[in-house]
Every structure is written in C-alpha cells, then in structure tokens.
Amino acid sequence: MRRILLGSDGSEQARQAEDHVISLAHDDGGSILAVHVVEKDLMHYGMVDHLATQGDKEGFVRYVRELGERECLDRLGKFRQRAREQGVDVTLMVRWGEPLGEILAAATENRVDEVFLPPRCWGREFTGARLAEAVNSSCPSKVTVLA
C-alpha cells in the first residue's frame, strides 16, 4: 500500500496537486497524509509583550494553535471530502514552522513513499533545479513538484 504525503495550503494553486494525489492513491489503493504548515511567526508575537502576564502569553499561543488547526480543517476539509468520495483515506496533519522543512520532517517521521508539492504554496515557489536537488537530497522519500 502506497503512502503519499501531500504538502498543501489548501489554495487554488494546490488544487491540481490535490486532485493528482487522489487519483494516484485511488489507482494504487494507497493513503494520503495531507500536511498543512502554519508558520510560527504569529506565536512569537504573543511572547514579546512585556506587559502581558505569562497566562496571557500562554493563552495567546493556545489561541494561535487552535486557529491553525481550524484553518487546516477549513482549507483541507474539501480535499479530504473529495478523496473520501473516491474511497481514499486521508489523514490531516498540522505542523508548525517553516513549510518546506516541516513537510520533509513529516515525510521522514511518517515513512511515506513519496512527497508531492504543488509548484506554489505558502507564498513560495517550489520549482527550480536547485530546490529540487536540495529537497531530494534531504528527504528519504521521492519528492515530486507538480507543474
């Protein structure tokens, strides 16, 4: 059974990659781990206010985490529904940090067979020979950037 990791921010640019991995998983009887990354920059704001109490700071960080979880479900919920209609199992995962690094870490930790990325996601371009070379050398799974 093939295990596919899809890095997606749920944007329109990612839709083609989402549909592609649904098709692959359906044809191979595989499953999909859809990873949405929330950049940590927002959490930093809650920790720098010198007038806020520690409880307020922790509450802000908790709020940002909950917001990220909801954002993942909102953005990738339709993708998961499309996949389920095709009989494909999808697990959603939220990670915190720099998107590409977190996706590669999730691929390693979850021992996926292949990683798929849309050409543009989280405001970044994932195309280009140097990036592809760097990504493939740092990930034990095959990485494909869909054009």
Side-chain angles (χ1 to χ4, degrees):
M1 185 159 138
R2 185 175 183 188
R3 232 169 111 71
I4 298 170
L5 186 148
L6 169 69
S8 179
D9 64 359
S11 65
E12 281 300 314
Q13 295 91 341
R15 175 77 188 253
Q16 187 174 356
E18 292 172 357
D19 291 341
H20 182 74
V21 297
I22 289 171
S23 177
L24 286 176
H26 179 264
D27 293 347
D28 295 345
S31 64
I32 301 170
L33 173 63
V35 179
H36 177 70
V37 181
V38 178
E39 297 197 49
K40 282 184 163 180
D41 292 345
L42 275 177
M43 292 162 88
H44 173 73
Y45 291 120
M47 301 312 283
V48 297
D49 185 348
H50 300 291
L51 298 176
T53 66
Q54 186 62 29
D56 288 342
K57 291 176 185 181
E58 290 168 2
F60 181 78
V61 170
R62 196 169 33 258
Y63 167 76
V64 170
R65 282 198 174 274
E66 290 169 4
L67 193 62
E69 297 280 337
R70 274 196 310 268
E71 181 180 344
C72 174
L73 291 175
D74 289 347
R75 289 177 174 244
L76 297 179
K78 291 177 185 170
F79 162 68
R80 181 169 54 182
Q81 182 60 37
R82 290 195 321 273
R84 286 182 174 169
E85 289 169 1
Q86 297 283 327
V88 176
D89 181 47
V90 174
T91 301
L92 299 182
M93 175 185 282
V94 178
R95 305 253 329 185
W96 301 86
E98 189 278 319
L100 187 57
E102 289 300 321
I103 287 171
L104 298 178
T108 302
E109 292 165 13
N110 292 279
R111 296 187 172 134
V112 299
D113 299 306
E114 192 165 3
V115 175
F116 286 89
L117 294 170
R120 182 169 174 76
C121 211
W122 296 285
R124 293 173 171 78
E125 295 286 336
F126 292 122
T127 55
R130 284 190 181 163
L131 177 62
E133 183 179 306
V135 166
N136 277 305
S137 68
S138 63
C139 185
S141 308
K142 178 182 176 186
V143 179
T144 302
V145 177
L146 299 166

